[in-house]
Amino acid sequence: PAVDASEAEDEYRFEVDLPGLDRESIQVSVDGDALSITGERPTLKGGGRCLRAERPAGLFIRRFLLPEDVRRGEIHANLRDGVLELRLPKTRPTAVALEEGKP
């Protein structure tokens, strides 16, 4: 699945496109320095002869190496409208550096 990753001052955020999946179909874990997102997308529903299949089906896994400043063992997850949002807090917030002469 497609994933957007971003960094804020106090956390890392991952947004994963998982349309049609429910919470029970998705597993999220941190093992050492890696975040893993696994699950299974169902095959076509409704029977009949398939004319076109563009959406992937079957098992999937996405793995991401995590920075050293991720607080291990703490993941905030929310699945809404087919998007899984994962927020991983940092061990300490980073200061935002300002360029000299700019507010």
Side-chain angles (χ1 to χ4, degrees), residues 87-101:
R87 295 182 358 257
L88 289 80
K90 293 182 178 182
T91 54
R92 59 187 174 279
T94 56
V96 177
L98 298 177
E99 293 183 35
E100 188 174 324

Side-chain angles (χ1 to χ4, degrees), residues 16 21 24 34 36 39 44 48 69 88 99:
V16 188
L21 294 184
E24 293 76 29
S36 296
L44 291 174
D69 63 344
L88 289 80
E99 293 183 35

Side-chain angles (χ1 to χ4, degrees), residues 34-55:
L35 169 68
S36 296
I37 305 163
T38 59
E40 184 171 3
R41 288 190 171 152
T43 56
L44 291 174
K45 298 177 182 177
R49 184 171 61 107
C50 177
L51 300 176
R52 176 177 289 221
E54 294 184 355
R55 297 182 299 168

Side-chain angles (χ1 to χ4, degrees), residues 8-71:
E9 183 178 327
D10 59 346
E11 68 183 6
Y12 294 96
R13 180 175 292 151
F14 295 83
E15 293 177 340
V16 188
D17 287 344
L18 297 172
L21 294 184
D22 56 22
R23 296 173 197 267
E24 293 76 29
S25 302
I26 306 163
Q27 296 80 41
V28 177
S29 63
V30 173
D31 184 21
D33 292 339
L35 169 68
S36 296
I37 305 163
T38 59
E40 184 171 3
R41 288 190 171 152
T43 56
L44 291 174
K45 298 177 182 177
R49 184 171 61 107
C50 177
L51 300 176
R52 176 177 289 221
E54 294 184 355
R55 297 182 299 168
L59 296 172
F60 66 85
I61 183 168
R62 294 296 311 264
R63 290 177 57 92
F64 300 92
L65 290 178
L66 295 173
E68 291 181 17
D69 63 344
V70 168
R71 187 177 307 151

Side-chain angles (χ1 to χ4, degrees), residues 67-87:
E68 291 181 17
D69 63 344
V70 168
R71 187 177 307 151
R72 302 295 191 250
E74 187 174 343
I75 301 174
H76 303 278
N78 183 33
L79 179 63
R80 189 176 73 204
D81 297 331
V83 177
L84 174 65
E85 180 187 62
L86 302 173
R87 295 182 358 257

